[in-house]
Amino acid sequence: MIGITLAYDLAGLMFAAIAWRSARDAGNPKRLGAGLFWALLALSFLAGDHLGDLGNGVLVLALSVLGGFGLMGRGTEAEAPKAEREAQARRWGYWLFPVLFLPPVIALAGTIWGPALTWNGQPLVDPKQGTLIWLALGIVAVLAATTLYTRQRPGTPLRDARRLVELVGWAAILPQVLAALGGIFALAKVGDAVAALVGQYLTLDHRFPLVCAYTGGMALLTILMGNAFAAFPVMTSGIALPLLVGRFGGDPAVISAIGMLSGFCGTLMTPMAANFNIVPAALLELPDRNAVIRAQVPTALLVLAANTLLIQILGFPK
């Protein structure tokens, strides 16, 4: 049976190849630091289960030191010449755009019909992680097909992968770190501390202040943590479930769904959300990396206010 380790192994092999190319890049004066950073990240994917808690903790600290103290540097991996890219654009036109939709289509098809595929009486793909596994398989299939179709050399995707990853730099690991931080907060019972603070400073006799505390807290905690999924268990266990649902009889589905959207408002306003705000600025090589955030703040605040009103109106059965 194909398990989720397949996706981890594919990611680990990619980062291992990037580490090898980075360490051998003579044009990067910090090539050893860059190579070590991506090698450690590859190790976390390939052997994280075997390192134990202490080993993984040391690995994360090492990654933090390499990224935080600027020991990585950016390599000299360049794009294909402009003339070559323009010639390819004229040749292929828009025919390559449908390929972008194939990985999610394969993931969706695998999720729906994949459980029917068996091998020796067992599911071919682990049904508990089917979506992620089929997405990984779809990416590999599309990558291989497009490389052959466009007649590119096998090393071209890896070259461009390294160039893009090094543009983002250490921020590439923020989603992993922040997701882990959310789990730590939940285990540390931060939600109980939030509930205690709310009970101490807000009246529990009126619903609207608690709704504001929930939506505003989701946005604020997401700003600090960079991940609404990490903020969700903390604020939902601290305010939404015990107070809005338990005390005022709110609809948990409506309140939780809109609460998550409130967290996404915080995502638009923080550089900690690397995949939304840092990555686009880095890939486009914008001179002002915070311009994306400033452009999003007014929309985020309006949506946050609308979410607060929606919970107040729709979240409580009459």
Side-chain angles (χ1 to χ4, degrees):
M1 183 170 62
I2 302 175
I4 191 61
T5 54
L6 172 67
Y8 294 154
D9 290 341
L10 290 173
L13 291 174
M14 182 193 72
F15 283 118
I18 290 174
W20 174 251
R21 294 177 73 100
S22 296
R24 298 177 67 237
D25 186 357
N28 182 3
K30 300 179 181 179
R31 62 183 182 275
L32 294 180
L36 180 59
F37 183 91
W38 301 117
L40 290 174
L41 187 58
L43 179 64
S44 71
F45 280 103
L46 294 171
D49 290 344
H50 306 289
L51 296 178
D53 294 339
L54 178 60
N56 281 296
V58 172
L59 188 148
V60 170
L61 290 176
L63 289 172
S64 302
V65 170
L66 290 170
F69 286 92
L71 301 178
M72 296 171 57
R74 182 175 164 183
T76 57
E77 200 85 70
E79 289 184 288
K82 183 178 180 181
E84 179 182 340
R85 287 184 279 121
E86 290 178 346
Q88 290 178 349
R90 288 191 297 269
R91 180 180 181 184
W92 304 115
Y94 293 103
W95 287 103
L96 289 179
F97 275 96
V99 177
L100 299 176
F101 297 98
L102 288 180
V105 168
I106 292 174
L108 178 61
T111 302
I112 297 175
W113 294 294
L117 301 176
T118 60
W119 180 266
N120 291 331
Q122 296 292 327
L124 180 63
V125 173
D126 183 0
K128 295 181 180 179
Q129 301 289 347
T131 301
L132 292 177
I133 297 170
W134 283 109
L135 179 61
L137 292 172
I139 291 172
V140 172
V142 170
L143 180 62
T146 51
T147 301
L148 293 173
Y149 181 63
T150 58
R151 300 178 183 177
Q152 296 293 315
R153 290 174 295 181
T156 300
L158 183 59
R159 179 197 68 189
D160 287 337
R162 181 200 160 197
R163 181 179 59 82
L164 294 176
V165 163
E166 288 194 341
L167 274 174
V168 178
W170 61 266
I173 69 170
L174 267 181
Q176 282 178 275
V177 174
L178 294 173
L181 183 61
I184 293 173
F185 275 25
L187 290 174
K189 300 187 181 301
V190 177
D192 294 344
V194 170
L197 288 173
V198 169
Q200 183 176 356
Y201 293 104
L202 291 179
T203 176
L204 302 183
D205 297 327
H206 300 285
R207 192 174 67 197
F208 188 66
L210 297 176
V211 173
C212 294
Y214 179 51
T215 57
M218 277 293 301
L220 180 60
L221 198 57
T222 301
I223 289 174
L224 296 176
M225 301 175 68
N227 193 316
F229 292 98
F232 181 76
V234 175
M235 298 305 300
T236 302
S237 65
I239 298 178
L241 293 180
L243 299 176
L244 298 181
V245 176
R247 187 179 182 89
F248 289 98
D251 186 328
V254 173
I255 292 174
S256 298
I258 301 178
M260 179 62 79
L261 292 177
S262 302
F264 293 154
C265 295
T267 300
L268 298 175
M269 297 187 285
T270 177
M272 295 294 287
N275 50 332
F276 284 97
N277 302 325
I278 300 299
V279 171
L283 296 182
L284 296 174
E285 300 186 36
L286 300 180
D288 184 359
R289 297 296 175 88
N290 293 317
V292 173
I293 297 174
R294 285 199 296 271
Q296 294 173 163
V297 167
T299 300
L301 293 176
L302 286 174
V303 174
L304 180 62
N307 287 340
T308 304
L309 293 177
L310 283 175
I311 289 183
Q312 179 70 11
I313 295 171
L314 303 177
F316 300 91
K318 295 182 180 179

